[in-house]
Amino acid sequence: MARWRNGSGTLTFTNSEGERETEIPLRIAASYRHRSRGLLGQDGIDGALLITPCGSVHSFRMRFTIDVAYLDRKLQVVAVRTMKPGRLGLPRLRARHVIETEAGAMAGWGLRPGVRVAIAQGDGSPGHGAGSVSDHLPGKP
């Protein structure tokens, strides 16, 4: 499994129609402390936040409505939900990662269930989230 670090990166995917490739600036929350904090206390986000590992989220104490994309081990979108502040999201059994952003952004980007994303860590160092998680699974060259 990939070894993620807190920091910045890039989320890249081709929308479900295969029309255009989208690159989104990404913050990565991999430590317990950063995962717990998430977007709490913020008024918005430029780009998106990857929380890993993560199978469910809540929006208690959030100041704005968010879009949440649940990703499986191969970084394929399992579900996309919009959550108002003060909600508890249902756990997704196949989800291993979560992407959060401001409400409406994912629809604008074309991020839907079935779309596979790639995530590059800011420094691009191998073995620390560069490429996709599936590139670092056991048995992969």
Side-chain angles (χ1 to χ4, degrees), residues 7-36:
S8 62
T10 305
L11 171 71
T12 308
F13 64 93
T14 302
N15 70 2
S16 56
E17 289 82 34
E19 297 170 353
R20 69 178 194 275
E21 186 171 288
T22 305
E23 284 191 12
I24 289 85
L26 187 68
R27 283 192 352 222
I28 300 170
S31 70
Y32 177 78
R33 182 172 150 225
H34 284 87
R35 289 191 320 260
S36 297

Side-chain angles (χ1 to χ4, degrees), residues 26-106:
L26 187 68
R27 283 192 352 222
I28 300 170
S31 70
Y32 177 78
R33 182 172 150 225
H34 284 87
R35 289 191 320 260
S36 297
R37 176 100 200 258
L39 295 175
L40 297 177
Q42 296 183 24
D43 293 323
I45 183 170
D46 183 29
L49 172 70
L50 171 71
I51 303 173
T52 183
C54 183
S56 67
V57 296
H58 68 83
S59 60
F60 299 118
R61 299 184 324 177
M62 292 288 293
R63 296 181 180 171
F64 59 99
T65 303
I66 59 173
D67 281 347
V68 179
Y70 297 88
L71 309 176
D72 66 11
R73 291 180 193 273
K74 295 182 179 181
L75 297 181
Q76 185 167 343
V77 178
V78 175
V80 176
R81 298 288 181 261
T82 300
M83 293 179 65
K84 293 180 180 180
R87 305 285 193 238
L88 178 63
L90 294 173
R92 305 287 173 196
L93 297 178
R94 292 183 14 217
R96 297 296 177 259
H97 317 280
V98 168
I99 297 173
E100 295 180 348
T101 190
E102 291 188 20
M106 290 186 187

Side-chain angles (χ1 to χ4, degrees), residues 108-128:
W109 298 335
L111 191 63
R112 297 181 176 91
V115 172
R116 187 165 178 175
V117 302
I119 298 169
Q121 189 91 34
D123 60 7
S125 60
H128 294 282

